[in-house]
Amino acid sequence: MKDIERLTNGVRVAAVVCNQWGDSGKGKLVDWLASEWADVVVRGTGGGNAGHTIKVGDLVHIAHTVPCGILNPAVMNIIGNGVAFDPRGVCEELEELRAKGIKYSGNLLISHNAKLILPQHLVMDRIREAAASGGEKIGTTGRGIGPAYTDHYARVGLTVNDMQNKDVFARKLRRNLKDKLVLLEKFDRGVVEKVMQHPHLEGGMFFSREGIFDVDAIVERYMEYGRMLGGTITDTDKEVRDRIDNGENVLLEGAQGHMLSIDYGSYPYVTSSDCSIQGLAKGAGLEDIDVQLILGVVKAPYMTRVGEGPFPTEMGGEASAKWCSTHTRKEEEEDYPNALIDDSNEFVQGVAVRRAGGEYGATTGRPRRTGWLDLPLLRYAMRTNGSELALTKLQVFDDVPEVKICTSYVYQGPEYLCGGRTLHCGDILDTATPDIDVMKHCKPNYVTMPGWKGPTADIKDYRDLPENLQKYVHAIRSATNASIRVLSMGPERNQTIVV
Ligand code: IMP
């Protein structure tokens, strides 16, 4: 039996989610499963904030809202009802696909019920972040995600369907703008105008000196998008169910990571959708019990975080967090041309890991904060996303003398009541709690293991991996009771081992 057949034996619906803070390599795994198994790939959460890198031979593609099955001509790609949909961003993505010679016509469907991102969402996102001070800043991607989902729950949101009905769109748009205008009137008009000059806001096309937003310009532009995308807009919930009933293999593509989930993550330093299997299934038009295989993706031996918020195993701690929010990749390359992963200075170690793993935001280009694999956090994510894991990026640590794993935390904060338990300084936590007032006081307990000799990227069979790497994988398995199903040893489809 082929490797992938062993993995998907008896599976009709599978899902790929991240058990960390995102950027763990979901895109590669989705593309791999799409090339060998899936008939349909469905995105259910997030939007243009995601950046999923796919590499097939010489072709490198970064998908943002369009599902990662798009490089496979035989696969239907569906943007589900739970997605925050920015038509400008999606049209740009489609244009990029066209320019690369990738055919998508007939391979893409968009839910009529996906939540529409409007210019005011991008403005609110950017202005709020710019005005935030100290701990109020989230470090968002500036793609309007939070404000769009907020409007949905505040019952003033618009959907993709509205782009096809001009009068309804205009009425809902005016209603939606009311509360935004009250807030934006308080800001310096010059600042608002500057924000609205951004290319993501069509270079000022929607700005009006009198009313801040030129309603007619927004209506016209969104009607144009409605016409451009019209043939792809449909009831995708029904489509997904019908395809399952017809015996097709359906793959759900997660975005971001469990610790960024609005419901399970390190709130408020999260995104605004539920990145867990539950949110993903719902946003794809299904229930989590419909999914027979959930691959929880775990980057190891290191992990990353982008944006603000606690990160207990961060290499270089606060200095790293600050550096990443204030420096660019270019500056880092100039300042640390020869950083080594086994440097005795943890901050430099973090820089070296970032450089070795290419850990710079696929959407924003920001340096990603780097830290050691955190098992308390993984145990917490596995409660919701289940025990089947895919480990990724292991090859980045080839030839590093030692690797560390965080096996538990020591709580080092003041007495604090959390979830019915009073925490005291010195308490040991095996499983993370996403409460940031706990997490920011958690110091990791590490075990150190010997590293392994590379190169490992092109090894195809688990038994051929260096013994120390197998021991490392086994250590994760036995410390979490996980079932490790897949190891991704590089960005290419064929750099994948089914365990
Ligand atoms: P937003 O989703 O743009 O509102 O950003 C909220 C938080 O989620 C910020 O810390 C972002 O850095 C983080 N975030 C959003 N999307 C991604 C992603 O795809 N990878 C990693 N972090 C993300």
Side-chain angles (χ1 to χ4, degrees):
M1 197 186 260
K2 265 174 77 180
D3 277 356
I4 199 135
E5 286 167 8
R6 265 193 299 124
L7 177 71
T8 54
N9 197 9
V11 174
R12 174 74 5 110
V13 183
V16 175
V17 290
C18 165
N19 279 335
Q20 298 168 327
W21 272 293
D23 307 314
S24 49
K26 292 183 293 296
K28 161 319 193 8
L29 290 170
V30 170
D31 169 66
W32 169 66
L33 282 160
S35 69
E36 301 251 358
W37 173 79
D39 300 303
V40 186
V41 177
V42 196
R43 258 291 285 276
T45 54
N49 50 351
H52 295 159
T53 307
I54 323 165
K55 184 172 184 308
V56 183
D58 291 338
L59 176 72
V60 178
H61 181 67
I62 300 177
H64 296 285
T65 304
V66 174
C68 292
I70 202 71
L71 301 191
N72 300 277
V75 170
M76 176 56 84
N77 291 271
I78 295 183
I79 298 177
N81 74 70
V83 169
F85 187 91
D86 181 349
R88 187 211 58 83
V90 171
C91 286
E92 191 176 279
E93 245 184 289
L94 295 179
E95 189 45 51
E96 206 185 310
L97 286 169
R98 195 176 302 133
K100 287 177 178 163
I102 298 158
K103 178 191 153 291
Y104 60 83
S105 168
N107 292 22
L108 179 70
L109 292 175
I110 301 166
S111 168
H112 70 307
N113 205 21
K115 318 310 174 226
L116 198 59
I117 297 189
L118 292 155
Q120 58 267 37
H121 297 137
L122 284 113
V123 175
M124 297 303 294
D125 195 357
R126 284 156 199 246
I127 292 231
R128 265 191 206 139
E129 283 284 284
S133 57
E136 290 170 9
K137 204 172 157 66
I138 306 289
T140 73
T141 59
R143 299 299 192 269
I145 303 293
Y149 283 122
T150 302
D151 276 356
H152 173 58
Y153 283 99
R155 297 166 291 191
V156 293
L158 279 73
T159 63
V160 161
N161 201 61
D162 294 326
M163 290 196 295
Q164 299 184 299
N165 297 284
K166 189 171 180 179
D167 292 345
V168 173
F169 181 94
R171 171 169 48 80
K172 290 188 180 175
L173 176 66
R174 287 201 171 83
R175 163 77 185 85
N176 180 285
L177 279 171
K178 271 189 190 165
D179 59 339
K180 318 286 179 305
L181 291 172
V182 173
L183 276 166
L184 290 173
E185 289 292 354
K186 297 195 170 69
F187 284 91
D188 182 322
R189 192 60 60 93
V191 173
V192 177
E193 179 174 3
K194 188 155 176 265
V195 168
M196 290 186 73
Q197 296 300 328
H198 195 281
H200 290 175
L201 281 141
E202 319 241 14
M205 177 194 268
F206 304 128
F207 181 71
S208 146
R209 217 163 287 280
E210 298 75 47
I212 303 182
F213 292 99
D214 180 338
V215 173
D216 292 338
I218 301 177
V219 174
E220 285 316 314
R221 191 69 173 137
Y222 273 67
M223 288 306 110
E224 209 176 308
Y225 284 132
R227 281 190 292 276
M228 282 158 75
L229 298 168
T232 64
I233 300 171
T234 187
D235 179 352
T236 58
D237 290 7
K238 179 173 182 310
E239 182 77 24
V240 173
R241 280 276 172 219
D242 286 352
R243 284 174 179 265
I244 295 173
D245 292 346
N246 285 338
E248 295 190 23
N249 295 330
V250 174
L251 176 62
L252 309 187
E253 172 183 325
Q256 287 81 43
H258 196 67
M259 296 311 295
L260 286 173
S261 161
I262 186 83
D263 294 313
Y264 295 103
S266 49
Y267 193 93
Y269 300 107
V270 292
T271 189
S272 296
S273 62
D274 175 12
C275 321
S276 78
I277 183 59
Q278 295 161 354
L280 172 59
K282 183 162 186 264
L286 298 174
E287 293 177 69
D288 53 354
I289 52 164
D290 290 315
V291 186
Q292 294 101 26
L293 171 69
I294 307 164
L295 281 180
V297 185
V298 174
K299 193 148 66 177
Y302 72 102
M303 52 195 275
T304 56
R305 170 164 207 170
V306 194
E308 310 298 315
F311 185 177
T313 62
E314 184 162 16
M315 296 169 184
E318 274 176 29
S320 154
K322 185 149 185 244
W323 172 270
C324 290
S325 68
T326 50
H327 289 77
T328 61
R329 177 180 198 156
K330 194 160 170 285
E331 287 165 346
E332 179 159 283
E333 281 165 2
E334 280 163 13
D335 286 9
Y336 293 94
N338 303 312
L340 293 174
I341 297 187
D342 57 343
D343 196 288
S344 58
N345 178 318
E346 266 211 6
F347 174 86
V348 178
Q349 212 176 10
V351 174
V353 171
R354 185 155 51 247
R355 296 198 55 198
E359 299 295 348
Y360 300 88
T363 298
T364 59
R366 291 181 287 180
R368 296 175 182 149
R369 300 157 64 191
T370 46
W372 292 104
L373 174 64
D374 181 330
L375 296 185
L377 216 112
L378 175 56
R379 292 187 189 106
Y380 170 70
M382 284 169 61
R383 279 188 196 163
T384 310
N385 289 338
S387 60
E388 300 192 278
L389 306 183
L391 304 186
T392 61
K393 289 220 160 180
L394 290 151
Q395 83 289 352
V396 172
F397 266 64
D398 283 355
D399 302 311
V400 175
E402 286 184 334
V403 292
K404 293 206 284 185
I405 311 180
C406 165
T407 51
S408 62
Y409 302 142
V410 191
Y411 175 71
Q412 295 196 331
E415 194 173 295
Y416 182 72
L417 185 60
C418 177
R421 169 181 176 191
T422 305
L423 288 173
H424 300 96
C425 188
D427 283 354
I428 302 289
L429 302 178
D430 290 326
T431 305
T433 158
D435 183 332
I436 58 160
D437 286 298
V438 176
M439 208 187 260
K440 72 183 178 196
H441 294 299
C442 285
K443 299 283 170 264
N445 284 323
Y446 288 113
V447 292
T448 300
M449 298 186 68
W452 53 86
K453 287 258 167 293
T456 59
D458 292 314
I459 296 176
K460 302 288 175 245
D461 191 310
Y462 182 74
R463 289 161 298 192
D464 296 334
L465 288 172
E467 200 184 332
N468 282 350
L469 177 46
Q470 291 189 34
K471 283 185 179 159
Y472 176 76
V473 172
H474 183 71
I476 298 172
R477 185 186 291 129
S478 63
T480 57
N481 286 325
S483 163
I484 295 169
R485 305 293 309 274
V486 176
L487 305 181
S488 169
M489 307 301 296
E492 298 281 352
R493 289 173 184 163
N494 66 5
Q495 292 175 316
T496 314
I497 300 173
V498 176
V499 181

